[in-house]
Amino acid sequence: AKKIVVVGGGVSAGYFARAIVAAGRGADLTIISAEPVAPYERPALTKAVLHAESPARLPGFHTCVGGGGERQTEAWYEDKGVTLRLGTRVVGWDASSKTVTADDGGVTPYDKLVVAIGCTALRLPDAIGGGLPGVHYVRDNADALALSEAMATAKAPVVIGGGYIGLEVAAALAARGLNPRVVLMEKHTMARLWTPEIAAKYESLYETKGVVFHREAKVKRVVAGADGRVASVELEDGSVLKSDLVVVGVGAGAPAAPFDALNTTPNPKQPGGIAVDGTFAASGAGVEPKSVFAIGDVAAFPASDGVATELVPTRVEHVAHARASAAHCASAVLDERFDTPYAFFPFFYSRVFEQKDQVRSVSWAFWGFNRGACVVVGDFAPSMVAFWVDETDGAVVGVMVESCSDAERDAAKRAAETRAVVDVEALRKCASVTEALALTST
C-alpha cells in the first residue's frame, strides 16, 4: 500500500486522518507533528481554554469533536493503526527521493505527502519589546495554557489587535473583570469584515463589560520594568498604557519551510503559503505530479473573490476551511482519478462571553462576501442580521447573523449561497430579523 505522510498536527491533520481511517487506510498513514499532543480543535485556544471557571483542557477538544466526530486521542490513532510522531519537527524534504527528515535525524519515505503546517502568529519586533516576558502570542496549546496561567494573576492587560484573536482574548479578559485595553490601528474592530455600523454595536457591548478601545493607534514599543518583564505599552501618540500582560493578535504569516521549493502564491494581497490546485495538489521543480499536497491555512487554493470571473489563489485561516480542505484532499490522495475542484464558499464565525456568569453571549456567523450596500436589521438585543447586496442586480452576496436560531442561520446561509434577489428599500423597512430573512426567501 502507498505510504501517506502528513507533516503538521493541527486541525487539518486531524480531519485528514479521520477521512483516511474511514477509508480503511489508517495503517498507511504517518503524522509527524512538532507539538507534543495529538491534533486538536484550535478555536478553543482563544475561547474555552481561557475561561476562569471549568476551562477546556485536552483531551477534551482533540479533533474531531468540533465537527461531530470522535475524540481522536493518541489511543485512537494507535487503535486505528496510524503512526503518530509527536514532538518531532520536520526540517528537511527531498522531492527526488520522496523523503522528509526530522530534527531527530529520522528519515521517512512517502508516496503521498500532505503539508499541513498551518500559519505562524505575526510577532512584534524584539527591538520594540515583542519578545519581553509577559508578551504573549497564541498559536498552539502551550501558548494558550501559558496565557491562561498569566491571566489568573494579571491586573492590567493590554491586547494589541482588533481582529479575531484580539476580540476573543479581550472577551476572555473582560469576563474575568480585568478591563482590558485593546489597541488597534484601524478605525474599528474586525475592519476586514464588519462595517463601522456593525463594529459599533459590538464595541459598545464590549465597553459595557469594561473593555477600553484605543482606535487608530500604533504601538511604539513595549517597555520593560526593573524586573525585565513588561511594564507598559507606549503608543505613537505618546500615550502610555500600564500593563503586566500583553497579548498580540495582529495576523498570521504562512512560511513554507522546509517546503520552500514548492510553488507559492502570486497573489500580492496574500503573500506566502503553498500554491495548490482544486484538489490541493502542490507543484514545484522536481515534484512528481500529485505526490505532494497542502491543506489548511498554508494552502493557497483557487477560489472566487466574489467579483472577478476567474479564480484567484486564496489562503483562508479558519477552522471551517481547515476541516473541509482536509476531507477534499483526502479524496484526491485516496483516488488519483479524483479531480473535482474544491467548492469554497466563505464562512466565518465567533462565539464569546459564553461563561455562565455572563448576562449575554455573543455568537455571530458570516457567509459570502462583504461588498455592495450593507443593510442591518435588528436591535442587537440580542439578535441582528446584516445583508450585503450587489447594487447592480439586487442579489444578496453576503449575510451575517448574531444570536439567531438554527433555522435563521440556515436561511441566512441559503440567501448568500443562492444570491437571493431582494428589494433593498423593503429590506431597510423590516422591523425584525425574521421579517428580513423571510424577504430573502420569497
Side-chain angles (χ1 to χ4, degrees), residues 40 60 89 101 196 210 240 352 356 359 362 381 385:
Y40 53 87
R89 186 177 300 277
T101 302
V240 177
V352 293
K356 292 180 181 179
V359 175
V362 166
V385 62

Side-chain angles (χ1 to χ4, degrees), residues 121-132 135-137 158-161 185 218-223 233-234 246-251:
L122 295 181
R123 300 175 63 88
L124 297 181
D126 287 347
I128 65 168
L132 287 176
V135 177
H136 291 256
Y137 305 83
V158 171
V159 177
I160 300 172
M185 294 177 63
K218 188 175 182 181
V219 174
K220 183 176 181 181
R221 60 179 180 142
V222 180
V223 183
V233 176
E234 184 179 339
V246 173
V247 186
V248 181
V250 293

Side-chain angles (χ1 to χ4, degrees), residues 78-361:
E78 183 177 359
D79 181 61
K80 305 301 182 183
V82 177
T83 299
L84 191 60
R85 296 177 58 192
L86 302 176
T88 306
R89 186 177 300 277
V90 169
V91 296
W93 165 58
D94 189 325
S96 59
S97 65
K98 297 174 74 171
T99 59
V100 291
T101 302
D103 54 2
D104 61 5
V107 177
T108 304
Y110 65 83
D111 293 297
K112 303 287 186 181
L113 173 66
V114 180
V115 181
I117 54 179
C119 287
T120 57
L122 295 181
R123 300 175 63 88
L124 297 181
D126 287 347
I128 65 168
L132 287 176
V135 177
H136 291 256
Y137 305 83
V138 185
R139 189 58 201 169
D140 59 29
N141 186 57
D143 293 337
L145 292 177
L147 175 57
S148 178
E149 183 179 356
M151 287 168 64
T153 57
K155 298 291 189 294
V158 171
V159 177
I160 300 172
Y164 253 107
I165 300 297
L167 286 183
E168 292 189 347
V169 172
L173 290 162
R176 291 172 179 253
L178 293 176
N179 302 328
R181 294 176 179 269
V182 178
V183 179
L184 58 151
M185 294 177 63
E186 301 81 7
K187 292 182 179 180
H188 62 81
T189 53
M190 293 293 292
R192 289 194 293 176
L193 180 61
W194 294 347
T195 64
E197 178 187 2
I198 293 171
K201 295 178 183 294
Y202 287 92
E203 289 169 17
S204 293
L205 175 62
Y206 271 67
E207 286 166 347
T208 67
K209 296 176 181 291
V211 178
V212 177
F213 290 100
H214 296 263
R215 303 173 184 85
E216 296 185 89
K218 188 175 182 181
V219 174
K220 183 176 181 181
R221 60 179 180 142
V222 180
V223 183
D227 61 356
R229 296 183 58 81
V230 59
S232 64
V233 176
E234 184 179 339
L235 305 183
E236 290 281 8
D237 66 4
S239 303
V240 177
L241 312 179
K242 290 183 62 177
S243 177
D244 56 358
L245 170 65
V246 173
V247 186
V248 181
V250 293
F259 306 100
D260 311 86
L262 292 173
N263 293 331
T264 188
T265 171
N267 186 349
K269 294 181 180 179
Q270 285 191 315
I274 297 169
V276 296
D277 66 12
T279 66
F280 293 95
S283 57
V287 177
E288 178 186 306
K290 293 190 176 294
S291 66
V292 179
F293 299 77
I295 56 177
D297 294 2
V298 77
F301 59 95
S304 169
D305 63 1
V307 180
T309 54
E310 69 273 9
L311 303 181
V312 296
T314 304
R315 280 195 302 103
V316 175
E317 297 153 12
H318 195 270
V319 64
H321 163 66
R323 294 168 180 164
S325 64
H328 195 82
C329 177
S331 296
V333 168
L334 291 165
D335 181 0
E336 293 197 0
R337 297 167 299 176
F338 181 84
D339 60 1
T340 303
Y342 182 55
F344 172 75
F345 192 73
F347 167 61
F348 305 99
Y349 74 91
S350 183
R351 300 191 310 269
V352 293
F353 296 121
E354 295 185 298
Q355 296 88 341
K356 292 180 181 179
D357 61 347
Q358 294 299 300
V359 175
R360 67 161 287 187
S361 63

